């Protein structure tokens, strides 16, 4: 089976973990500090703070953005659930804005009508690894005095007008979960240029601590261990190499799948680079997705669906007052997406298998 995701773990990662084990100090320490320094440098920001998941990263960023109970936060209905849950963790209200059908990202032309006096922040998601329409987002945020918390969990290394994700908003949030473009099993990073916000995040990830046994506010244990940090340091060294392989594979898939009736291959909008966390095709409405995916899997292609439902279809979001029909683009695309393997371990031979399987499966 050609799996939909496959982490690349080599001797460098093994050696780095062993060094931490031999040091006897496994909790947050020098490896996490090294990761933070290198990550900030890579993204071109002043601060990077490591935490133990992408979800924690978003929670920390929203906290540092000053989001409080009763505030509204604008985001997309089409993402992983971890984009929206941290809004609820802070007692704030998620306000959803439909997506653009070409990029799967938030439709920036629909944001301003959703802004109210209670709006505090926007969480744009660079879905599948393609940056959002950042010029428009930055203009809207500035005009309405909103903080931008970028969910870049799928987009490490992607650029908009030559600027890297993580430095496009007030905060950038990354995940190092096992299937992400670079990973350490579980982990996350928040980036920011604000000294004050960085201090707030340092405190929030450690029980709200501001000095030994001084707790200024409610906080959590969101620290990353040095075992995870050691893996992440090695993975970050390879991010460009992994990205290049994903982009080459996407290019080959585009060529191989061109002209097949019944599918639409992914597009990249102007002024940005796509890092293909997922390579996601869109099926025509008349094609039975379940049958198509079963057929692909029978042929050795581990296709996936990211994501089968829009966020407002889940009960804890629906109960906030949303119903099916509210975000027609997200609902339509959720019913028609299929992601194909594109990760660095996918070989040219695999690409041929994937292309042939799609051709055969699309015709039933
Ligand atoms: C993976 C992911 C997250 C959360 O990351 P975890 O590390 O699993 O908590 C958030 N948003 C998006 C878009 C993601 O893909």
């Amino acid at each position: 089976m050609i799996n939909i995701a496959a982490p690349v773990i080599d001797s460098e990662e093994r050696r780095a973990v062993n060094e931490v084990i031999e040091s006897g100090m496994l909790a947050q320490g020098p490896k996490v500090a090294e990761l933070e320094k290198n990550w900030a440098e890579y993204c071109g920001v002043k601060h990077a703070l490591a935490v133990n998941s992408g979800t924690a990263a978003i929670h920390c960023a929203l906290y540092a953005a000053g989001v409080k109970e009763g505030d509204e936060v604008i985001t997309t209905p089409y993402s992983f659930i971890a984009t929206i849950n941290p809004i609820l963790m802070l007692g704030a209200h998620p306000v959803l804005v439909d997506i653009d059908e070409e990029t799967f990202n938030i439709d920036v032309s629909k944001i301003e009508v959703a802004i109210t006096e209670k709006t505090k922040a926007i969480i744009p998601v660079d879905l599948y690894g393609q940056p959002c329409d950042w010029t428009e987002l930055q203009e809207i945020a500035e005009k309405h005095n909103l903080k931008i918390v970028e969910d870049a969990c799928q987009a490490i290394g992607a650029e908009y007008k030559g600027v890297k994700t993580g430095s496009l908003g007030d905060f950038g949030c990354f995940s190092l979960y096992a299937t992400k473009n670079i990973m350490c099993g579980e982990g996350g990073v928040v980036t920011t240029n604000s000294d004050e916000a960085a201090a707030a995040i340092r405190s929030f990830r450690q029980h709200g601590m501001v000095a030994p046994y001084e707790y200024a506010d409610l906080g959590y244990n969101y620290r990353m261990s040095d075992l995870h940090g050691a893996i992440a340091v090695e993975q970050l060294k390879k991010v460009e190499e992994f990205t290049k392989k994903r982009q080459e594979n996407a290019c080959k898939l585009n060529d191989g799948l061109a002209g097949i009736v019944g599918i639409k291959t992914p597009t990249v909008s102007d002024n940005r680079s796509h890092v293909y966390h997922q390579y996601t095709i869109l099926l025509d409405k008349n094609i039975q997705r379940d049958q198509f995916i079963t057929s692909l899997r029978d042929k050795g292609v581990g296709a996936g669906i990211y994501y089968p439902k829009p966020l407002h279809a889940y009960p804890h979001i629906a109960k906030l007052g949303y119903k099916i029909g509210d975000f027609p683009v997200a609902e339509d695309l959720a019913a028609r997406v299929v992601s194909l393997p594109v990760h660095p371990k996918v070989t040219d031979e695999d690409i041929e298998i994937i292309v042939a399987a799609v051709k055969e499966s699309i015709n039933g």
Side-chain angles (χ1 to χ4, degrees):
M1 182 70 93
I2 307 166
N3 287 323
I4 188 71
V8 182
I9 305 162
D10 285 318
S11 54
E12 296 84 2
E13 284 81 359
R14 288 197 181 86
R15 196 182 318 122
V17 168
N18 271 333
E19 279 170 18
V20 175
I21 291 174
E22 278 157 22
S23 80
M25 294 185 290
L26 277 50
Q28 183 184 307
K31 278 293 165 188
V32 168
E34 186 181 347
L35 176 69
E36 293 180 333
K37 183 175 164 290
N38 296 353
W39 199 288
E41 213 166 276
Y42 181 72
C43 290
V45 292
K46 207 162 165 195
H47 304 280
L49 295 313
V51 290
N52 52 26
S53 73
T55 312
I58 298 169
H59 194 188
C60 288
L62 287 174
Y63 171 81
V67 171
K68 293 192 168 61
E69 200 171 338
D71 289 341
E72 292 177 359
V73 177
I74 291 174
T75 193
T76 164
Y78 197 57
S79 184
F80 182 49
I81 194 74
T83 300
I84 199 168
N85 281 344
I87 302 172
L88 301 171
M89 293 174 194
L90 287 161
H93 183 76
V95 173
L96 302 177
V97 169
D98 211 353
I99 56 169
D100 173 69
E101 70 170 285
E102 215 35 68
T103 61
F104 303 89
N105 286 335
I106 194 164
D107 183 341
V108 290
S109 73
K110 293 180 179 153
I111 292 177
E112 282 199 283
V113 294
I115 294 172
T116 73
E117 276 173 6
K118 292 181 180 167
T119 311
K120 233 347 174 345
I122 310 177
I123 311 180
V125 182
D126 305 316
L127 201 72
Y128 304 144
Q130 171 160 220
C132 295
D133 294 325
W134 277 94
T135 301
E136 291 83 351
L137 280 168
Q138 288 160 350
E139 281 167 10
I140 293 167
E142 191 162 338
K143 184 171 159 198
H144 298 275
N145 193 25
L146 306 175
K147 295 282 188 221
I148 305 188
V149 173
E150 177 185 17
D151 181 343
C153 287
Q154 302 187 354
I156 176 76
E159 292 182 358
Y160 182 86
K161 293 186 177 168
V163 178
K164 282 216 165 59
T165 56
S167 64
L168 291 158
D170 298 282
F171 300 90
C173 300
F174 295 90
S175 169
L176 287 155
Y177 178 65
T179 62
K180 298 286 154 77
N181 286 23
I182 57 171
M183 62 95 226
C184 64
E186 296 276 7
V189 175
V190 194
T191 53
T192 184
N193 280 314
S194 159
D195 296 343
E196 202 184 324
I201 292 166
R202 272 192 201 98
S203 165
F204 194 66
R205 76 173 168 191
Q206 177 137 318
H207 311 288
M209 197 175 91
V210 287
Y213 297 97
E214 284 300 328
Y215 306 102
D217 196 0
L218 172 66
Y220 295 78
N221 178 355
Y222 280 162
R223 294 183 308 263
M224 176 186 277
S225 80
D226 253 22
L227 288 171
H228 294 87
I231 301 173
V233 164
E234 296 309 319
Q235 290 267 304
L236 185 60
K237 291 178 189 164
K238 303 173 184 175
V239 64
E240 298 281 295
E241 173 197 332
F242 291 169
T243 299
K244 190 160 161 278
K245 195 77 200 341
R246 283 178 181 271
Q247 289 169 335
E248 284 168 4
N249 282 341
C251 219
K252 288 171 190 166
L253 285 168
N254 283 342
D255 289 345
L257 299 173
I260 299 179
V261 176
I263 65 163
K264 182 175 177 290
T265 54
T267 58
V268 186
S269 288
D270 291 344
N271 298 319
R272 65 204 84 183
S273 66
H274 194 320
V275 296
Y276 294 99
H277 173 61
Q278 297 295 351
Y279 180 93
T280 302
I281 62 170
L282 210 49
L283 304 183
D284 283 358
K285 287 187 207 313
N286 60 331
I287 289 162
Q288 291 290 318
R289 181 168 62 179
D290 291 349
Q291 278 174 24
F292 177 73
I293 287 188
T294 305
S295 171
L296 286 179
R297 289 186 183 153
D298 287 346
K299 294 171 173 51
V301 177
I305 302 177
Y306 307 101
Y307 295 91
K309 289 184 190 183
L311 297 179
H312 62 291
Y314 295 103
H316 72 295
I317 309 299
K319 78 172 187 206
L320 304 173
Y322 293 112
K323 59 183 187 313
I324 295 306
D326 286 349
F327 307 104
V329 181
E331 291 162 21
D332 174 43
L333 299 189
R336 297 197 286 126
V337 291
V338 175
S339 298
L340 301 171
V342 72
H343 56 79
K345 283 184 170 170
V346 172
T347 64
D348 286 356
E349 203 182 357
D350 293 335
I351 303 261
E352 280 175 31
I353 294 169
I354 296 166
V355 169
V358 170
K359 276 183 188 158
E360 287 166 32
S361 304
I362 206 81
N363 299 315

